[in-house]
Amino acid sequence: MARYDFHAITITQITQTAGVSRVSFYRNFSSKEDILIKALRSDIEQHFYRTAQSGQLTNHRELFMAIFAFVEQKGGIVDLLYQNDLSHIFLAFIRECCGAKPESDNHTAYHHSLNMGVCFGALDEWIRRGRQGTAAEMADKVAQALATILAKW
């Protein structure tokens, strides 16, 4: 995406560059977008695993801190998504990571959707504004906003 317009990149180019067959590609991915989502998902799982191992995921603020820090760390790919008008891929990634799951009861699903919506909304604006403010500042703001919303829920 740094060299070519995302929409112009073909599955054939991807498979030739990766040295895999189209069959292998479609065995693992459903689309070009799916590659990006799964790559980000793999990276964030490693990031969260390290963060959780350090005992830093005990409340909403720490969860948001981990997400904003991850985006700071992966700024290059996130910027490419936004520069290529692909923020919907970033939203799909956030939804997959922390959105509602089909097996969840309604209360849990709505709670997860609310967390995801607040988180994505803040992340989206933060990214569009050039990531002004630190991850910690943003995590504080989002956690405070969510606490206010949940208190009224």
Side-chain angles (χ1 to χ4, degrees):
M1 287 186 341
R3 293 184 299 185
Y4 303 103
D5 176 65
F6 179 79
H7 301 290
I9 299 170
T10 67
I11 300 300
T12 299
Q13 288 172 311
I14 293 169
T15 57
Q16 286 175 348
T17 301
V20 298
S21 70
R22 288 179 71 85
V23 171
S24 293
F25 175 88
Y26 284 111
R27 189 176 303 130
N28 294 288
F29 306 104
S30 60
S31 64
K32 296 185 295 188
E33 291 84 354
D34 193 34
I35 295 170
L36 295 169
I37 293 166
K38 286 184 177 176
L40 286 168
R41 178 72 190 246
S42 175
D43 288 350
I44 203 167
E45 285 172 353
Q46 292 173 19
H47 176 79
F48 268 77
Y49 178 76
R50 287 189 304 272
T51 305
Q53 291 294 89
S54 66
Q56 296 177 348
L57 288 178
T58 59
N59 60 44
H60 280 114
R61 191 254 179 223
E62 291 168 354
L63 172 67
F64 294 131
M65 180 60 208
I67 293 169
F68 278 91
F70 173 78
V71 172
E72 261 184 346
Q73 178 188 358
K74 293 294 179 181
I77 187 68
V78 173
D79 289 343
L80 282 172
L81 289 173
Y82 276 75
Q83 289 164 10
N84 284 278
D85 199 24
L86 299 170
S87 61
H88 65 280
I89 293 174
F90 186 66
L91 171 59
F93 158 68
I94 295 295
R95 182 179 294 125
E96 187 174 303
C97 290
C98 57
K101 305 297 183 241
E103 64 275 7
S104 298
D105 63 78
N106 285 346
H107 177 79
T108 303
Y110 296 143
H111 181 85
H112 282 264
S113 291
L114 181 62
N115 283 337
M116 185 213 59
V118 169
C119 186
F120 176 74
L123 280 165
D124 183 62
E125 197 58 38
W126 184 58
I127 292 163
R128 290 179 191 278
R129 292 176 181 253
R131 293 192 300 276
Q132 297 174 12
T134 67
E137 291 168 339
M138 291 304 299
D140 288 340
K141 289 177 185 182
V142 173
Q144 289 169 2
L146 185 61
T148 301
I149 293 167
L150 288 175
K152 294 178 182 181
W153 183 279

